[in-house]
Amino acid sequence: MKYLFISIFLLLHLSINSQTLKGVVFDSISKEKLQYVNLSFITKEIGTFCNDKGIYNLDLSKASKLDTLVVSLIGYKSKNIALLNYLENKEHTLNIQLIPKIELLNEVVVLSKNKKYSTKNYNIKTGNRKTMFPLSVPFGYETATLIENKKKEKGKLIQLSLKLKKSSDENFTIYPTYYRISFYNIDELGYPKDLINYDNIIIKPENDETSFSINLEDKNIVFNENGVFVSIETVKPDDIVPSSSMYLTTPNIIYTHTDEKLTFRRFGSNKWSKHNRTSAFKKKLYKVPFIKVKVVY
């Protein structure tokens, strides 16, 4: 009886594990396979990414009949997929086409090129350089930080700099990570709104790299009168399969402190939530990624 119970348990376990959705995500016009597409559940912190060949494999064992999958990538119209028909205990295949936002991209580029900018650039940074610390963020989370425009004059971003630090902890499994950088306008409530740039900017740290500087001069990223949001999304590399939810990512983005609430966070394509909790290190201050940008006006 004991062995029968174990056999039934194993069969059930294998059956649940086979409840997956897999396939390829590609451009609807060029048919090009799309890299690092985000696939996530609406209202749940569950999801995955395509690899560099556009292939995805999504575990549906925690999905319900009411769940919807959102497939999204910078520069493309998001697609919602009801999961009702994919919840049988078997492996489903679904290839997904995303439609590019060509007309929006052209509009942004034209607007940016109409203005002539000065050759003098200004450095703007978040927080205090003297109080910096690394922070591990799980795969799939995106943190948007407001870079305020103190001059209140329209400009253009020409460079973005970040600091990284390799992490180690004997109590947790540690996985290498990539980062996606995005730029958003500000809505009337002060939240991240529309994307400003449609390039899929992926940072792939190697070895002991501790800092990154990204040249943005050819990206035509407008620095609006109130500023812009710079977002950092933690992207899972192709060969990483976390064995549990208790893990760390490396290298970590270096954070600092500010006396203002400048950051918003979300998982996948879920709604943004404002970061209201103060830092564990400075009880009256808020933690924020240490970001430095160069701007021309």
Side-chain angles (χ1 to χ4, degrees):
M1 179 64 70
K2 176 182 177 181
Y3 294 109
L4 178 61
F5 175 79
I6 292 174
S7 299
I8 293 173
F9 175 80
L10 288 173
L11 286 171
L12 288 172
H13 182 69
L14 289 171
S15 175
I16 292 173
N17 281 349
S18 68
Q19 194 174 349
T20 59
L21 184 64
K22 67 175 185 177
V24 177
V25 183
F26 56 94
D27 185 300
S28 64
I29 297 175
S30 69
K31 307 306 178 185
E32 177 186 359
K33 294 175 182 177
L34 300 175
Q35 299 181 346
Y36 308 115
V37 177
N38 189 311
L39 300 97
S40 58
F41 291 16
I42 289 181
T43 73
K44 288 185 178 179
E45 296 181 351
I46 300 173
T48 190
F49 291 90
C50 288
N51 65 15
D52 60 359
K53 296 179 179 61
I55 299 170
Y56 73 92
N57 194 313
L58 180 64
D59 179 10
L60 296 182
S61 61
K62 295 182 180 179
S64 73
K65 294 180 179 180
L66 299 179
D67 280 329
T68 298
L69 180 69
V70 182
V71 186
S72 61
L73 181 65
I74 291 173
Y76 290 84
K77 296 178 182 179
S78 297
K79 176 168 286 190
N80 290 3
I81 299 171
L83 293 176
L84 177 62
N85 297 323
Y86 301 99
L87 297 184
E88 299 175 40
N89 288 333
K90 66 178 186 179
E91 195 174 76
H92 297 270
T93 298
L94 177 65
N95 295 327
I96 302 168
Q97 300 184 61
L98 292 185
I99 301 172
K101 296 180 177 179
I102 297 173
E103 70 286 353
L104 294 177
L105 175 59
N106 291 335
E107 180 182 351
V108 171
V109 172
V110 169
L111 288 175
S112 300
K113 287 184 176 179
N114 285 339
K115 180 176 172 62
K116 300 297 182 182
Y117 295 94
S118 167
T119 56
K120 182 180 179 181
N121 59 69
Y122 297 82
N123 290 317
I124 303 173
K125 65 179 186 296
T126 58
N128 186 348
R129 181 189 287 272
K130 294 181 179 179
T131 57
M132 298 198 296
F133 53 95
L135 188 66
S136 174
V137 179
F139 297 125
Y141 285 89
E142 183 179 7
T143 300
T145 303
L146 177 61
I147 309 297
E148 297 179 284
N149 188 349
K150 301 293 187 181
K151 287 175 68 70
K152 299 299 179 182
E153 178 185 344
K154 184 172 288 188
K156 184 174 79 167
L157 296 183
I158 62 171
Q159 188 179 74
L160 169 71
S161 297
L162 300 171
K163 288 189 173 295
L164 310 174
K165 184 176 181 180
K166 195 170 183 179
S167 63
S168 60
D169 192 319
E170 295 180 354
N171 299 315
F172 293 92
T173 303
I174 299 178
Y175 298 108
T177 187
Y178 298 156
Y179 291 105
R180 186 182 351 248
I181 307 299
S182 306
F183 303 88
Y184 294 90
N185 282 317
I186 307 167
D187 72 8
E188 61 278 2
L189 298 177
Y191 280 65
K193 192 182 179 183
D194 303 319
L195 280 164
I196 299 175
N197 176 266
Y198 293 97
D199 288 335
N200 193 20
I201 303 173
I202 302 288
I203 294 177
K204 298 182 178 182
E206 295 181 0
N207 302 322
D208 295 322
E209 289 178 286
T210 58
S211 62
F212 272 89
S213 289
I214 303 171
N215 188 337
L216 303 173
E217 291 197 60
D218 63 341
K219 304 295 185 186
N220 296 303
I221 301 174
V222 176
F223 190 51
N224 292 309
E225 288 88 343
N226 293 324
V228 301
F229 278 101
V230 175
S231 88
I232 305 171
E233 181 184 7
T234 311
V235 176
K236 185 176 70 65
D238 309 347
D239 55 345
I240 301 300
V241 182
S243 56
S244 74
S245 59
M246 301 295 290
Y247 64 87
L248 299 177
T249 56
T250 188
N252 298 157
I253 296 292
I254 294 296
Y255 274 63
T256 184
H257 289 115
T258 179
D259 56 4
E260 298 178 82
K261 303 173 185 178
L262 299 178
T263 60
F264 292 77
R265 197 180 192 191
R266 68 177 178 178
F267 181 87
S269 297
N270 291 341
K271 291 182 179 180
W272 292 102
S273 61
K274 193 166 189 176
H275 180 76
N276 291 314
R277 294 172 59 185
T278 55
S279 170
F281 303 103
K282 299 282 185 178
K283 296 299 183 182
K284 294 183 179 180
L285 300 176
Y286 302 92
K287 62 178 183 287
V288 58
F290 184 74
I291 299 171
K292 185 164 65 175
V293 297
K294 284 186 179 181
V295 182
V296 290
Y297 291 94

